[in-house]
Structure formats: C-alpha cells, structure tokens
Amino acid sequence: MGGMLALPPGHGPQQVGCTDVMVGHTPQGLFLRLFYPCLARAGAVQPLWIPRPQYCGGLADVTLGHRWCSALLSIAFGSCRVPVSWNEPLKPCSTGYPLIIFSHGLGTFRTLYSSICTELASWGFVVAALEHRDGSAATTYSCTAGAGTEEWIPFQRLPQGQKEFYFRNKQVHHRAQECMRALRLFQGIADGRTDPSILHQGWDLSVLKDNLDVTKVAVMGHSFGGVTAVLALVKEPSFRCAVALDAWMFPLENLLYPEVTKPVLFINTETFQTPESVAKMKRLSSRNSQTRIVTVLGTVHEDQTDFAFLPGKLFSLIFGKRGTLDPHRALAITSRAALAFLQRHLDIQVKELEKRASGQAFELILSPRSKEAVPEFPLSPPKKKDVSLEEIQKKLEAAEERRKSHEAEVLKQLAEKREHEKEVLQKAIEENNNFSKMAEEKLTHKMEANKENREAQMAAKLERLREKDKHVEEVRKNKEGKDPGEAETD
C-alpha cells in the first residue's frame, strides 16, 4: 500500500468500496466515511489512509504532544492507502444491507478504523464511520455555505480546573446525538428523502434507497466510541444492539445503567480495562442475558485500530509496548465475534461465516444463557473421586512451590529493577560530578587566563610609564645642559 502501513483487505465475499459524505454547512451537520459492498472495476483508485495533511498535524499534537512532528507523520503515512475502491458503484441488494454506525475513539478520526470497517463491509454491511465534531477528534472540519471555505475544529483538551467527568459526559452525549442524526440521514434516504453530500464526490446517496434495511441497525465504536455506542443504544429505539470495542466507561453517568436493556457485546483488550470499568460492564450484563463480555488475550488498546498494523518499532515508539498477539489474528477474532453477535441480534444470515469453524465457535460463546436448557440425553451425575489426604498434601505443596517460585520471580524482577535504577542514578551522579569538575576546570582556566592578561596589561602600562618618565628626564637634562651656553652668548 506504500508508506509505513499495510492494512489488510476484507476477508468476506464482497468487494468493498468507500466514499466520504458531508451533510450540512455547519458543525451541527454530519461528516462520515461510508464503507459498502461495491461493484469493483479494474484499476479502481484506493483512497489515502490519512486524507489531508491537517490530520497529521492533529495526530502529532494529540499522540506525540508536538505539532512540529506532523511533517514526520506526513512522510511516514502520507502515501499509505486503504485496500478498498474509491467511489465505485454500490452492489445492488434486493433484501437490503444491514447498517452499522461507527464511533471513533478520543483523539482519532473517521479513517483510523478502516481495517475493521472494511472487514465488516466485506461481509455485507454498510458501515458509516462518523467523524465527531465535539472536539474529541484529533481534528476535523466543516464547509461553510456560499464561499465553501473550510473551518477546522481542533482537538479540545480538558480545560484547566474543570472535572474530567463533566467535560467528557457532555461530549459523549453530543457524540450519541451525532450517531442518531446519522441514523436519521439513512432512514430519510430509505424513505426517498436524500440530503445531498456537499463534498461533490460524484457518489449519489440516493442509490441506497432500495438497498438498505434500516430495520436492522447496530451502533459500534472503540474506546470513547465504545461508550458512545452504549449511550446511543439507550437514546435511540431503532438501534437493536451495540458492539463496544475496549469501551472507556468513565464518562457514562450511573443513572443510565438501568436503561441499557438491549444486548451489548463488549470486546476488551487485555491491558486497558480497570476493575471498575469491568464492574460497570457486568452491571449491564445483569440487565440483559444476551449481553456478553469478551477479552482478547495478548492485545493492547491500539490493536483495535489501524495503528496495530504499524511496524513494531514505530508502534512502540509512539504507543509503548505492543501486544503479543499478531494484529491480523486479533482483527480476525474481533471481527468474527462481532459478526456472530450481529448475525444473531439483527436477524441476518451470513452463510459464508456459518461454514467457518471460528464463526461456529463464537456462536457457541454468544449463545443465550437459558435456565430451562436441558441436555438431549439425561446423564447420571458423575461419581466423585475420593481424594486422599496424601494427594491433598501433595497439591498443597505443589501450590506452595508455585507461589514461592512466582514470589521469587517477582522479587528477582524488583531487585533487577532496583539495581537498574541504582545504576542509572550512579551514572547520573557521575555525569553531574564530571560536568561540575569540567565546569570548575574551565572556570579556573578562564580566571587564570584573565589574571595573566591583566598582569600583562599592567606590566605593559608600567613599562610605558617608565619609558615616559625616562623620556621626561632626558628632556629635562637636555634642557638644563643647554641653558648655561645660551647665557654666555648673551
């Protein structure tokens, strides 16, 4: 794909196209990237992953903390492309494609989830990836009416002195409203009311009219977008379920938890979630027996974004330690779990998915909990095996050995860490002493040089004074020796 990033294509049976849609000339309008099954043609253009240079500036400011790094990001990512067809025709679907509204995370934007959106579209979904205008995107823009000038909206940091919950809670409600407005846009299209996109991409939204099933709609998002999806599910009756990727549950007020009665699939990474956040998810799980919480081991928070496909060293430089699970495998697990969940709760059939062992496995994981379920053949309860005291003692000893081994390993790591810190401190002290010594030597040398210069200048001045006195004495003597002769002549 060029550049430093190679995004994977979709693995479903459909070719995937995409286009950008902007509705309205104010920040209260909508801006999104649409992924859809398409009729791909040979030589189709692939869109840039980072669509404008300004997005590199926003990413540099939010992710690296230095806006001047935008030039480096432009060099690294400027030529990276998404493996989909740009503005290609929609593939007709007599039954209508199900719809997913996707919400991005904090400090990102609409194109940074192209891999998961492409994968879902390849299995027969239309995916609308929003770019939020609440100040949570790395940057975004709107186009004014008339002149058509662009008004850029920068990332908004937490104002000084303001509590983060109230600030983020206001943003998450704004985001949920944008998800609902996006749904209204597609519902209007299905009813024959088309708001034209002001970007003039040459892709007519009206082609969706007879090819979209707006009775089968889900909302999905990552991190801040994950909790946005949960809130949108509460606010909008037409959303039938939600998929929350590593949801940041912090901004959601406690009063809303009893209102989440529809199914949610939480797909978490191994390192991001806190016990408090998981407890909040479990509260939702208790409200609906169809809600599920899945943790993908060996993954980190960024593995659910396109950044997962960066080279290892570049990923570590920007985000720190990466996950141990291969990013392609992580994407496959996430997408298969989401597809199985959506298939169940949107009442759709994905035949190609059903044939896969992975799809069947997730169907098993996501099957409803039923108190009335009974086995097909009644089985007698298994006989309990008698355990002797000797075996219990052996198990206890083995457990104690494992505990001691683990404790020893932890102590060893702590000792190594302390030793490393000691070495670093000692090195810093030595460098400081060396610097002080060098500075002192330079100062002493400079003072000695200044002293020598002063002494040389004083010696030169004294020499000039002696020569001047000598000259004056010679003049005086010459004058005294000359005066008697002049007197005789007179």
Side-chain angles (χ1 to χ4, degrees):
M1 306 302 160
M4 298 289 291
L5 186 83
L7 296 177
H11 294 89
Q14 307 290 346
Q15 297 293 317
V16 179
C18 83
T19 189
D20 280 338
V21 177
M22 186 181 290
V23 176
H25 291 281
T26 67
Q28 287 69 45
L30 285 172
F31 190 21
L32 58 90
R33 174 157 287 191
L34 198 67
F35 296 82
Y36 55 88
C38 76
L39 298 171
R41 295 174 289 189
V45 175
Q46 293 184 340
L48 289 170
W49 182 53
I50 306 294
R52 304 283 291 277
Q54 289 90 335
Y55 287 99
C56 287
L59 272 181
D61 186 30
V62 175
T63 307
L64 302 176
H66 301 289
R67 198 168 186 85
W68 59 264
C69 294
S70 61
L72 300 177
L73 294 183
S74 294
I75 294 170
F77 304 142
S79 61
C80 298
R81 294 187 177 271
V82 183
V84 296
S85 300
W86 182 247
N87 278 342
E88 290 299 295
L90 177 77
K91 182 180 179 180
C93 178
S94 59
T95 58
Y97 295 114
L99 174 66
I100 299 173
I101 307 296
F102 192 96
S103 173
H104 65 74
L106 185 66
T108 61
F109 44 89
R110 70 189 188 283
T111 68
L112 299 188
Y113 298 87
S114 295
S115 52
I116 185 67
C117 292
T118 299
E119 182 66 21
L120 293 171
S122 75
W123 289 100
F125 289 84
V126 170
V127 185
L130 287 171
E131 189 162 285
H132 292 292
R133 290 168 167 173
D134 61 327
S136 64
T139 191
T140 186
Y141 68 98
S142 61
C143 294
T144 59
T149 56
E150 296 175 354
E151 290 188 356
W152 285 87
I153 304 169
F155 177 76
Q156 188 176 0
R157 299 188 183 278
L158 179 67
Q160 188 174 3
Q162 186 169 347
K163 290 186 176 181
E164 186 171 17
F165 172 79
Y166 298 107
F167 181 68
R168 300 302 182 196
N169 180 257
K170 182 179 178 181
Q171 284 185 317
V172 76
H173 279 270
H174 184 283
R175 289 163 137 258
Q177 289 294 332
E178 286 182 314
C179 292
M180 295 163 65
R181 290 207 303 273
L183 176 59
R184 298 286 178 271
L185 170 68
F186 291 105
Q187 287 174 334
I189 293 170
D191 290 338
R193 305 186 310 274
T194 304
D195 293 325
S197 174
I198 65 175
L199 294 178
H200 306 297
Q201 301 277 6
W203 203 88
D204 189 0
L205 287 172
S206 64
V207 299
L208 292 168
K209 180 180 182 300
D210 298 318
N211 295 287
L212 202 61
D213 187 349
V214 291
T215 67
K216 298 177 179 179
V217 188
V219 60
M220 185 173 181
H222 173 249
S223 193
F224 204 6
V227 75
T228 300
V230 173
L231 180 58
L233 188 65
V234 174
K235 287 174 169 281
E236 176 52 57
S238 296
F239 287 133
R240 294 175 62 172
C241 61
V243 178
L245 305 178
D246 228 8
W248 184 40
M249 301 299 291
F250 169 76
L252 193 63
E253 58 264 44
N254 290 328
L255 291 175
L256 283 173
Y257 282 88
E259 304 297 323
V260 187
T261 57
K262 287 179 281 188
V264 182
L265 172 62
F266 293 100
I267 306 179
N268 298 333
T269 61
E270 186 176 1
T271 59
F272 179 72
Q273 296 296 336
T274 63
E276 292 78 11
S277 183
V278 174
K280 292 178 179 180
M281 295 176 189
K282 288 181 178 179
R283 283 182 62 187
L284 299 185
S285 178
S286 66
R287 301 289 301 176
N288 189 301
S289 62
Q290 301 287 338
T291 291
R292 293 287 183 271
I293 304 171
V294 177
T295 299
V296 184
L297 300 180
T299 57
V300 296
H301 194 56
E302 292 76 20
D303 281 335
Q304 293 177 337
T305 73
D306 292 343
F307 290 122
F309 299 97
L310 289 174
K313 290 185 177 179
L314 183 58
F315 182 97
S316 300
L317 181 65
I318 299 174
F319 300 108
K321 187 176 180 181
R322 73 180 308 157
T324 57
L325 186 65
D326 177 77
H328 294 85
R329 179 62 179 152
L331 174 62
I333 292 172
T334 299
S335 60
R336 293 291 177 267
L339 285 166
F341 182 81
L342 294 169
Q343 178 175 274
R344 176 179 296 278
H345 296 292
L346 296 183
D347 296 326
I348 57 177
Q349 296 296 321
V350 185
K351 294 181 180 180
E352 290 80 358
L353 178 65
E354 288 178 344
K355 294 176 183 177
R356 294 171 179 258
S358 58
Q360 294 167 0
F362 282 116
E363 281 296 312
L364 194 63
I365 292 171
L366 301 172
S367 60
R369 297 188 292 263
S370 175
K371 296 179 180 179
E372 299 176 357
V374 293
E376 186 176 354
F377 300 101
L379 301 174
S380 59
K383 294 181 179 179
K384 292 184 179 180
K385 182 182 176 182
D386 293 333
V387 182
S388 66
L389 290 174
E390 186 179 351
E391 289 176 335
I392 293 174
Q393 184 64 30
K394 286 181 179 180
K395 288 182 179 181
L396 290 173
E397 290 175 355
E400 180 64 16
E401 286 296 323
R402 289 194 298 271
R403 186 193 67 78
K404 288 181 179 179
S405 176
H406 177 70
E407 184 179 350
E409 183 65 26
V410 171
L411 290 174
K412 180 182 177 183
Q413 291 176 0
L414 288 173
E416 290 175 352
K417 184 179 180 181
R418 289 195 191 97
E419 188 64 28
H420 176 69
E421 291 173 349
K422 185 178 178 181
E423 291 176 0
V424 171
L425 180 61
Q426 185 63 33
K427 186 176 180 181
I429 292 172
E430 290 176 359
E431 289 178 353
N432 185 56
N433 291 338
N434 291 336
F435 176 79
S436 300
K437 186 176 180 181
M438 290 175 61
E440 185 179 355
E441 290 176 353
K442 287 182 179 179
L443 181 61
T444 302
H445 178 73
K446 189 173 182 180
M447 291 176 65
E448 290 176 352
N450 290 339
K451 183 180 179 181
E452 290 176 359
N453 290 335
R454 287 197 302 271
E455 289 177 350
Q457 289 173 0
M458 289 295 294
K461 288 180 180 179
L462 290 172
E463 183 63 27
R464 286 196 296 272
L465 286 172
R466 282 195 292 268
E467 289 178 356
K468 186 176 181 181
D469 291 343
K470 184 178 180 182
H471 177 69
V472 170
E473 183 65 23
E474 290 177 354
V475 170
R476 186 182 64 76
K477 286 182 178 180
N478 290 337
K479 188 175 181 180
E480 287 177 354
K482 191 176 180 182
D483 286 346
E486 290 176 354
E488 291 175 4
T489 304
D490 294 339

